[in-house]
Amino acid sequence: MLRMLCVGLFCLVASASSAAGLLIGPFCIDGTSTRLDTTETTYTVDGKWTRTVLKRAPKKGTQKPMLVVFKSVPIHAQFLESCQQIVERETAVGNSPLLAGRIEQIEIDGQAFESNAGINRFQVEPGRFSAKLGHVLQYDLPVLGGTTQLAGAKLWIKNTETILAEAGKLTGELEIEAWNRTIDGARINFEGVELTGLNFAPKRPNRDNVTFHFNLDGGTTTLWQGRLVANQSGSFASDALSISGLDLKGVAATYKRVELSAREGVLSVSLKSVDGHVDEALQSNAISTLSFRDASFALGDLLANGEQLPLGLVATNPTMRDLWFDAAQGLIAGPAGASVIEGASQGTVAELTPGQFSSSIHFSNPSSAVLSLLGGSDLSDSVDLRLSRDVDDLTLGGVIATSTLALGKLDVEEPLKLALNDITASLADVAATLEFPIDIDAKASEGKVNFHTEDYKVGLTGKFEGLRLKGLLRIPLADLESSHLFVKAKDFFLGLGLAAFLEPMIAGVKPTLSETTLRFSNPTDLKVGRISEGRIFTSVGQMVVGEPILRIGENGKKAKATLALKTEAGADLLYDLERGRLLIARGKLVADDVRFHFIEPGGEIDINGTRVTEPDITLKHLGVEFVGTDDLDFGTAELVGFTAQGHRVYKPADPEKPSDVTFDARLTTPLSVADANALKVGYKDVLSLEALQVRGFEVGMSSGQIDFGGDIRVGNAAVSISSRQVNRVKVNDTEAVILDDARFNASGILNAGLANAPSFRIDLNASGPTDRLNGNGSASVSPFAGGRTFDAEIAFKCEDGSRLKVPSEINLAVAGVSFDVSVKDGDFSGSGQTNPLAVAFHTTSGRDCDSPLEKWIIVPEESGWTWGICDFPPRKCKWKWTTPEINFKYKIKLAVRFAAVTLFMTNPVVNLNNGKVRYCNRGYASFGPTVFVGGYSPQIVTNYPGADAIVNAIIAGSFELAQTVAGTALINSVLTTVTDIINVGQVVCYD
């Protein structure tokens, strides 16, 4: 049986213990004893298995036995050889050993298979092969792209997998533990970055062994156990490098050493003390993006797993530890790329692994679309953020350090630190709203507070005397521009000392406060963001509004007035954060027994339409009251004993209200008002008294003109107007001034374009809207004469469709008349008897026109045919003929060369109706002798050039002459126009 084993698998010396080498595949072992345990033989169909144990034989001589592993299976010799002899023979043919060493201990407990067919095998189960080599003669082990030289080392060898030796083939794995070995020339591929020429040695040379696994079939070596270090610096560069989701561009770095650790074949590699520069570092997830540009960095540890390949180690899943960076530009953006915060930044990352990191980032003087709502356009100091990720959750917190806290148009210039407690958001929730609790409790200091106006000037300022604020900073990730700070009602307190107004904030002036210590709170919720909402409240003692910009009436002209108003029993003020408005929530501004005027030229007052220029005003009492209504932009006012003297009093015409009463004159009797209420009092830039409800109105004027709705105009007039009430009201978005029991008294010259200037007087009582008055009165006018020119229209249709118009003139003379006057919805009417009068009419030039052209057919066009003879030789054919239409065309010419007539009105009446003044005659008016030159004449249109001009001139002369001499029928059409004559704006009518 021993011989048969030697034939197929190994050869032994004839004795059980010998120095001859035993070959098992590529192994050569000598100095061992072999024992076949036939009692443990297992028979199979094709052979039998027999337990075979190899152990080191008792020491004989000075030569220690050897264990040799060849690159390939050695050739069996025909004689006995020691392993040393086999080494020499195989080396000569190029099969040098991979490993050769002196055996101190060895034990192989395997199974030898003797096949019935002569094909034998030897099998060793895991853990049944163990050996200790006291001195390795030679061995260059290929590992990690480099080599490990085992010569001179002590080795401990065991099999970790089943060893199966067959003819020409050996499978299985050996574990080789070596003392104090190095790996020279190792290669590491780090995410595409190639590190070469690395020489690793044990971290603790005198204490740590290195263990390898050697594959007997493929000849590959795996580093299995050990801690090694390459104490050599190096550098690398990469255009693009990705480490744990952090994309790096333009990386250039150095490292001080490389450490390698293996535990049961699992490798990790670490680059220590990595310093460098990166053009850009970018990490993105579903809800945020971190970007750092132009950054220097220092990395304590760049760690990765290792995959062992024959050509080297491939680093996988790299991670970072103890990262520090300093970036010229850092950016944190939301899911749509909108900037949350950006600026120069420095930071640390404790560890960065796939799906996990923990960092601290410091932004210096950053800008932020989100946080700027807490510090104006930029945060003046810094922001320190804590940012970490755990798989699908992102946690954010930090501290905002700012020297200015901006709440809308309110700035607190005081160094403050706003702590943002950590909050966690899911990376899957791109529409999440981050809510950071904000809690500020700052004591009084040397800081200051600025309340800005609408145009961002500092309107009110003072010393900072404490701030308490609790709120939520809300950041909606899907809409960063909607980020805001929310503060519930009563969760805000602000102290202000040495308060002073620097810009006009009430009535266009800077108020004066008797007490300069103010305490602000928020009676309602506050929202501070791109658009802020909310108001803060304070109470003041006496407040003086001196020399306000004043406007009385909607159309008054504003100007600074020599007036001072003081609060009665203090006031409550509200500051609107968004508008920069200081609102009066409660209070009453009063002035008693005052006389004032406008300091600036051009001042006017408007008492519901009646305006006085450069007024000198006296008031027994003025009270402007604010009672905390919903609309805090306005208050109400009470005026008692109001009088105004001035240079001019007038009421301008309104094109949209043509029937309104208007006037313009010198003020002779002061405009006076017993008392009035202003229902709308604005006070932002001007103290504006509007929507006046006036009682006891009176005014007197002279040397002016009054116009009653465009119907009656009185010049050089003395006018007095009084009304029990004059109220401005608004109905359906239309404003109107309503008079109650108003009286108009005017006397002067009637402006009617007459030949003389008759005196005129009117006395009228009326009520209602000023452009739709209703009332009664009386009027009178002295004798007058007048006339005017106009075009008299003749009832004759001209060729262009118009009527013939003849230039004409009328003249009349009227005795004085008195009549009753009434006005209804703004239209004046009335009537009065006057003396007989005559109206003289005559044309001032002649005019003619032709009527549309007419055609008279005498014989219509005809056609026919008959048979006849045509051509040569003759043939029968149709003869056709046509006779043309016989007609002539004509039109009628009307010529008015001159006309004159006198109309006598024996019983005339003056009527005022629908805005017109008419003179009418009771009964029939009579006409005097008439004169008329002109007439009708037909005009012939012929086909003979020049003939119609000759014929028509003869016809016209004959016809016009006959009608001028023989008849006056045409005068009737002229006379009908007399009933429509407009005489200086007034119509002479014939009843």
Side-chain angles (χ1 to χ4, degrees):
M1 179 185 68
L2 181 60
R3 183 182 60 80
M4 295 299 296
L5 287 174
C6 289
V7 171
L9 300 174
F10 51 84
C11 297
L12 300 173
V13 184
S15 64
S17 175
S18 173
L22 172 64
L23 287 174
I24 305 176
F27 286 90
C28 180
I29 306 171
D30 60 12
T32 61
S33 62
T34 304
R35 180 175 62 86
L36 300 180
D37 190 351
T38 57
T39 62
E40 295 188 23
T41 300
T42 303
Y43 291 90
T44 62
V45 176
D46 56 345
K48 63 180 180 180
W49 291 92
T50 302
R51 180 187 180 199
T52 303
V53 179
L54 281 77
K55 291 185 178 180
R56 182 183 177 191
K59 182 176 180 181
K60 293 181 179 181
T62 60
Q63 190 71 25
K64 291 184 178 180
M66 294 182 65
L67 171 65
V68 182
V69 182
F70 291 96
K71 292 180 180 179
S72 59
V73 178
I75 299 173
H76 292 277
Q78 299 300 318
F79 50 85
L80 292 176
E81 292 179 302
S82 67
C83 287
Q84 181 64 44
Q85 294 171 320
I86 297 174
V87 168
E88 293 173 356
R89 176 170 55 82
E90 288 296 316
T91 300
V93 296
N95 186 23
S96 57
L98 294 175
L99 172 65
R102 299 298 181 183
I103 297 174
E104 290 187 0
Q105 296 176 4
I106 188 167
E107 182 175 348
I108 301 175
D109 187 351
Q111 296 283 336
F113 180 73
E114 184 179 356
S115 171
N116 296 332
I119 300 175
N120 301 320
R121 298 188 294 274
F122 187 76
Q123 179 175 314
V124 182
E125 295 298 319
R128 297 297 182 93
F129 182 110
S130 64
K132 177 182 178 183
L133 302 185
H135 181 77
V136 176
L137 300 178
Q138 64 182 84
Y139 188 20
D140 292 340
L141 187 66
V143 61
L144 302 180
T147 58
T148 294
Q149 296 182 356
L150 297 181
K154 290 184 179 182
L155 301 183
W156 290 264
I157 303 173
K158 64 181 179 180
N159 70 319
T160 55
E161 295 181 2
T162 299
I163 297 175
L164 180 61
E166 301 178 273
K169 184 178 181 181
L170 180 66
T171 60
E173 184 179 76
L174 293 181
E175 181 178 282
I176 303 172
E177 182 178 353
W179 174 78
N180 197 23
R181 292 297 94 187
T182 63
I183 302 176
D184 299 323
R187 302 168 64 92
I188 298 177
N189 186 296
F190 210 110
E191 292 292 325
V193 175
E194 197 76 31
L195 307 180
T196 60
L198 298 173
N199 301 319
F200 288 98
K203 289 188 70 174
R204 298 183 299 178
N206 298 320
R207 298 176 57 184
D208 294 337
N209 290 343
V210 183
T211 303
F212 305 94
H213 277 202
F214 182 76
N215 186 281
L216 296 174
D217 184 17
T220 58
T221 306
T222 299
L223 179 63
W224 189 255
Q225 198 83 17
R227 295 187 299 168
L228 302 100
V229 59
N231 285 311
Q232 58 190 95
S233 60
S235 64
F236 62 88
S238 176
D239 292 335
L241 188 63
S242 181
I243 300 176
S244 298
L246 183 64
D247 296 327
L248 306 174
K249 295 181 180 179
V251 183
T254 62
Y255 57 89
K256 289 186 177 180
R257 68 181 186 277
V258 183
E259 294 187 0
L260 191 63
S261 175
R263 178 175 295 179
E264 296 184 349
V266 177
L267 265 64
S268 63
V269 60
S270 174
L271 274 65
K272 298 293 186 180
S273 301
V274 181
D275 295 334
H277 182 274
V278 62
D279 292 341
E280 181 181 18
L282 180 70
Q283 186 181 69
S284 298
N285 53 58
I287 65 173
S288 66
T289 297
L290 278 72
S291 173
F292 301 94
R293 295 177 182 272
D294 190 14
S296 299
F297 66 89
L299 184 62
D301 198 353
L302 180 57
L303 209 65
N305 296 329
E307 180 183 355
Q308 300 187 59
L309 298 176
L311 295 180
L313 178 71
V314 176
T316 60
N317 301 322
T319 62
M320 293 181 177
R321 288 179 182 171
D322 300 329
L323 169 66
W324 171 92
F325 64 88
D326 186 348
Q329 181 70 12
L331 168 69
I332 298 178
S339 170
V340 176
I341 186 171
E342 58 184 299
S345 57
Q346 304 84 37
T348 60
V349 181
E351 184 172 16
L352 176 63
T353 63
Q356 289 186 322
F357 67 85
S358 177
S359 65
S360 297
I361 306 172
H362 174 83
F363 286 91
S364 303
N365 302 314
S367 62
S368 169
V370 174
L371 300 179
S372 62
L373 61 92
L374 298 177
S377 59
D378 294 301
L379 291 174
S380 57
D381 292 336
S382 64
V383 175
D384 289 283
L385 294 180
R386 298 182 300 274
L387 187 63
S388 61
R389 177 181 176 181
D390 185 7
V391 189
D392 293 328
D393 291 330
L394 193 68
T395 300
L396 180 65
V399 176
I400 302 172
T402 177
S403 59
T404 300
L405 175 65
L407 303 172
K409 286 188 168 63
L410 167 64
D411 285 353
V412 178
E413 295 184 3
E414 167 68 14
L416 298 171
K417 289 190 176 182
L418 285 66
L420 305 178
N421 296 330
D422 288 353
I423 62 168
T424 299
S426 171
L427 294 180
D429 190 3
V430 296
T433 295
L434 307 180
E435 292 191 344
F436 295 96
I438 300 290
D439 193 343
I440 303 174
D441 189 358
K443 305 303 180 183
S445 71
E446 296 303 316
K448 67 178 181 178
V449 180
N450 293 325
F451 293 77
H452 291 90
T453 61
E454 197 166 8
D455 55 358
Y456 224 82
K457 297 179 180 178
V458 178
L460 173 64
T461 188
K463 181 175 176 292
F464 176 74
E465 292 196 352
L467 171 66
R468 292 197 303 273
L469 182 151
K470 289 184 178 180
L472 285 176
L473 177 60
R474 292 173 172 165
I475 304 176
L477 296 177
D479 184 12
L480 294 176
E481 289 191 357
S482 297
S483 301
H484 62 274
L485 174 65
F486 175 78
V487 182
K488 288 184 178 180
K490 301 180 181 179
D491 278 351
F492 174 90
F493 166 82
L494 174 66
L496 185 68
L498 302 177
F501 286 94
L502 303 182
E503 291 289 334
M505 296 195 77
I506 294 178
V509 297
K510 296 177 280 190
T512 302
L513 301 175
S514 61
E515 298 177 5
T516 60
T517 299
L518 305 179
R519 298 290 181 263
F520 288 87
S521 60
N522 64 319
T524 60
D525 295 344
L526 303 179
K527 178 182 176 182
V528 180
R530 184 173 56 87
I531 298 177
S532 298
E533 299 174 4
R535 297 163 176 173
I536 57 176
F537 168 91
T538 190
S539 293
V540 300
Q542 188 180 78
M543 180 173 68
V544 178
V545 180
E547 296 187 348
I549 307 297
L550 179 65
R551 179 173 63 226
I552 299 178
E554 279 75 359
N555 294 304
K557 295 182 180 179
K558 65 181 182 180
K560 186 180 287 290
T562 59
L563 176 68
L565 295 104
K566 301 178 181 179
T567 55
E568 190 176 75
D572 295 336
L573 305 179
L574 287 171
Y575 179 74
D576 191 298
L577 297 179
E578 172 65 18
R579 298 160 61 196
R581 280 290 312 278
L582 189 63
L583 303 170
I584 303 176
R586 179 202 61 82
K588 187 173 183 180
L589 295 167
V590 297
D592 292 317
D593 297 319
V594 294
R595 177 179 178 180
F596 64 93
H597 61 275
F598 291 118
I599 299 174
E600 301 161 334
E604 288 186 10
I605 62 172
D606 171 22
I607 306 299
N608 287 343
T610 299
R611 306 185 191 182
V612 177
T613 66
E614 304 295 343
D616 190 329
I617 301 170
T618 60
L619 261 171
K620 185 172 184 60
H621 173 75
L622 171 61
V624 182
E625 189 166 12
F626 304 89
V627 293
T629 59
D630 290 339
D631 191 354
L632 297 178
D633 287 332
F634 301 98
T636 60
E638 178 187 22
L639 298 87
V640 178
F642 177 94
T643 62
Q645 183 61 272
H647 298 148
R648 174 187 172 211
V649 59
Y650 72 102
K651 183 178 182 183
D654 184 348
E656 296 183 0
K657 298 178 180 180
S659 58
D660 208 343
V661 177
T662 63
F663 48 84
D664 191 342
R666 181 172 60 86
L667 183 63
T668 54
T669 302
L671 184 151
S672 64
V673 172
D675 65 274
N677 293 101
L679 303 183
K680 181 180 178 182
V681 178
Y683 58 95
K684 178 188 174 185
D685 300 319
V686 56
L687 186 64
S688 177
L689 310 182
E690 302 177 17
L692 293 172
Q693 311 298 299
V694 176
R695 293 168 292 278
F697 174 88
E698 293 183 2
V699 67
M701 62 195 84
S702 64
S703 303
Q705 177 171 305
I706 184 168
D707 189 340
F708 291 89
D711 300 326
I712 301 174
R713 294 183 177 89
V714 183
N716 195 24
V719 182
S720 65
I721 303 173
S722 64
S723 183
R724 189 165 67 88
Q725 292 189 58
V726 183
N727 296 330
R728 183 178 290 273
V729 298
K730 189 174 185 179
V731 179
N732 297 328
D733 295 328
T734 301
E735 286 192 350
V737 174
I738 308 297
L739 304 182
D740 181 20
D741 192 19
R743 180 171 182 176
F744 298 87
N745 186 287
S747 60
I749 301 301
L750 182 62
N751 292 332
L754 301 173
N756 64 338
S759 61
F760 182 85
R761 179 191 60 80
I762 184 170
D763 193 352
L764 176 70
N765 283 83
S767 297
T770 56
D771 63 329
R772 298 190 303 278
L773 288 172
N774 291 278
N776 299 280
S778 61
S780 64
V781 61
S782 64
F784 64 90
R788 77 178 187 87
T789 60
F790 64 101
D791 283 340
E793 186 174 285
I794 309 300
F796 178 81
K797 186 177 181 181
C798 297
E799 193 171 9
D800 63 359
S802 65
R803 291 190 174 190
L804 179 63
K805 295 180 180 179
V806 183
S808 305
E809 182 180 54
I810 62 169
N811 294 283
L812 59 82
V814 181
V817 61
S818 297
F819 47 85
D820 295 328
V821 176
S822 66
V823 58
K824 184 176 182 180
D825 292 331
D827 292 329
F828 290 86
S829 65
S831 63
Q833 186 75 44
T834 186
N835 296 326
L837 58 88
V839 180
F841 165 83
H842 67 90
T843 61
T844 58
S845 64
R847 190 167 289 177
D848 59 42
C849 75
D850 294 336
S851 70
L853 187 67
E854 300 287 344
K855 183 172 74 170
W856 190 350
I857 300 174
I858 300 174
V859 177
E861 178 184 303
E862 293 183 357
S863 61
W865 66 278
T866 187
W867 293 107
I869 297 173
C870 299
D871 302 330
F872 185 86
R875 64 177 179 83
K876 184 181 179 180
C877 65
K878 283 185 178 182
W879 289 5
K880 296 181 181 180
W881 77 89
T882 300
T883 59
E885 177 184 281
I886 300 175
N887 65 70
F888 71 89
K889 299 175 183 176
Y890 69 95
K891 52 189 176 183
I892 303 299
K893 177 187 287 291
L894 173 61
V896 178
R897 307 305 180 191
F898 179 77
V901 68
T902 300
L903 174 68
F904 295 98
M905 302 179 71
T906 58
N907 192 15
V909 176
V910 177
N911 289 330
L912 282 79
N913 190 24
N914 295 326
K916 296 180 179 179
V917 180
R918 296 176 181 269
Y919 291 89
C920 301
N921 196 62
R922 291 177 179 172
Y924 290 97
S926 61
F927 291 94
T930 61
V931 177
F932 180 80
V933 177
Y936 296 109
S937 61
Q939 302 291 296
I940 304 301
V941 179
T942 74
N943 295 327
Y944 300 97
D948 53 347
I950 299 172
V951 173
N952 289 335
I954 297 173
I955 294 174
S958 300
F959 272 74
E960 289 182 19
L961 179 61
Q963 292 180 43
T964 300
V965 175
T968 60
L970 285 177
I971 195 65
N972 290 327
S973 66
V974 176
L975 293 177
T976 58
T977 65
V978 177
T979 63
D980 295 323
I981 294 172
I982 299 176
N983 181 18
V984 291
Q986 302 162 42
V987 175
V988 176
C989 72
Y990 174 63
D991 247 357

